Amino acid sequence: MTNERILIVEDDQDIRELTTLYLGKKGYEVFPADNGFDAINIVKRESPHLILLDIVLPGMKGFEICEKVRELTQAPILFISSKRDSVDKIKGLEVGGDDYITKPFDFAELEARVRANLRRSLISSDQKEKKKLSYGHLTIDLESYEIKVNDQPIRLYAKELQLLLLLVNNPNQVFSAEQLYDQIWGIDSYGELKTVLVHISKLRRKIEVNPSRPKLIKTVRGFGYKFSPPE
């Protein structure tokens, strides 16, 4: 049994109640909300470990809620939507989401995604053995998880940070997009390649001096990506 706290933000009463009931029986403490205002208050009050967030909601939409929630927590956010358009999936990742599941969904698949994202939401203890990593203009504090570029703090979302740490802890090792997805997200999903590409692109924009000519996160054409420490 588990005791992680999950917030579900869904205006469809049947889906909200059935999902709350199902996850509750699996041992999760579930907090339901049907609008953005209540969702943000629950995040402030309960500090959930994971958030299930519908995109189409009355008033404040899911993408806007995600951006506001990201100012409060780095807990994984799984978008729920009836749309299967990859544009929405990419938009969800860009505003700070971690995963995406479409309606109607199978509860067993939903729980698998919940477990995978919870498992990967915490940086492994072996990555904390060093206090700080420094790569030229890039500094990573492994106690506070503060990332600095040229001594200026930058903001990384949870999956961006996990991806960066995986790469820097395995310098010069080439990872395929599929391997990165498996390591960070942990389950098969439609559009997984785009998920990796979006996060690599966002990381480069944040940590590279010249994102169009990356020196840290390099593409190995035909194989994948690697972190190349400055000489």
Side-chain angles (χ1 to χ4, degrees):
M1 296 294 286
T2 182
N3 59 359
E4 285 94 347
R5 296 181 298 278
I6 296 178
L7 164 63
I8 175 169
V9 191
E10 169 63 68
D11 65 323
D12 186 305
Q13 183 176 350
D14 290 338
I15 294 176
R16 187 175 65 251
E17 290 181 351
L18 287 172
T19 305
T20 298
L21 180 62
Y22 179 86
L23 293 175
K25 287 184 176 180
K26 294 296 181 179
Y28 297 100
E29 186 176 3
V30 186
F31 299 89
D34 61 4
N35 63 82
F37 179 78
D38 288 345
I40 291 170
N41 282 336
I42 291 173
V43 170
K44 292 177 180 178
R45 185 176 69 248
E46 304 294 345
S47 299
H49 296 98
L50 182 140
I51 299 165
L52 300 171
L53 178 58
D54 191 17
I55 290 178
V56 181
L57 292 164
M60 195 185 308
K61 303 305 179 185
F63 294 144
E64 183 182 356
I65 296 170
C66 181
E67 291 180 317
K68 292 183 179 298
V69 165
R70 274 289 170 252
E71 298 175 0
L72 304 170
T73 179
Q74 290 299 312
I77 296 176
L78 279 68
F79 278 110
I80 302 174
S81 176
S82 57
K83 298 182 179 180
R84 297 180 179 273
D85 192 336
S86 61
V87 173
D88 270 352
K89 296 182 181 183
I90 293 173
K91 174 66 174 178
L93 297 173
E94 288 179 339
V95 298
D98 298 283
D99 205 350
Y100 189 107
I101 189 167
T102 53
K103 304 175 188 176
F105 51 79
D106 179 80
F107 281 115
E109 179 189 357
L110 175 66
E111 188 193 4
R113 289 175 180 271
V114 166
R115 288 199 311 268
N117 279 277
L118 285 171
R119 185 169 62 247
R120 285 161 177 78
S121 66
L122 299 177
I123 306 301
S124 60
S125 59
D126 60 335
Q127 292 173 323
K128 297 181 183 179
E129 291 179 0
K130 294 181 180 179
K131 302 295 184 184
K132 187 175 291 187
L133 302 175
S134 183
Y135 303 99
H137 67 281
L138 174 66
T139 303
I140 305 170
D141 189 317
L142 295 178
E143 288 192 320
S144 64
Y145 302 135
E146 184 178 52
I147 312 298
K148 290 184 177 181
V149 172
N150 293 324
D151 293 325
Q152 297 299 313
I154 64 169
R155 180 181 175 188
L156 295 184
Y157 295 127
K159 285 293 187 288
E160 294 171 353
L161 178 59
Q162 292 171 29
L163 182 57
L164 177 61
L165 287 174
L166 173 63
L167 291 170
V168 301
N169 277 283
N170 296 276
N172 294 311
Q173 178 176 337
V174 179
F175 291 90
S176 68
E178 291 79 7
Q179 287 173 321
L180 290 173
Y181 189 90
D182 183 64
Q183 290 286 325
I184 303 301
W185 286 267
I187 49 178
D188 293 330
S189 172
Y190 170 78
E192 63 187 51
L193 184 58
K194 289 183 178 179
T195 299
V196 174
L197 294 176
V198 167
H199 281 77
I200 290 290
S201 177
K202 289 167 64 178
L203 261 179
R204 283 173 168 166
R205 291 200 299 268
K206 291 179 179 181
I207 71 171
E208 297 280 2
V209 173
N210 183 354
S212 63
R213 295 185 177 182
K215 298 295 186 182
L216 296 175
I217 301 178
K218 295 184 177 179
T219 299
V220 182
R221 194 170 300 276
F223 293 94
Y225 305 94
K226 70 174 182 178
F227 183 80
S228 182
E231 296 180 358

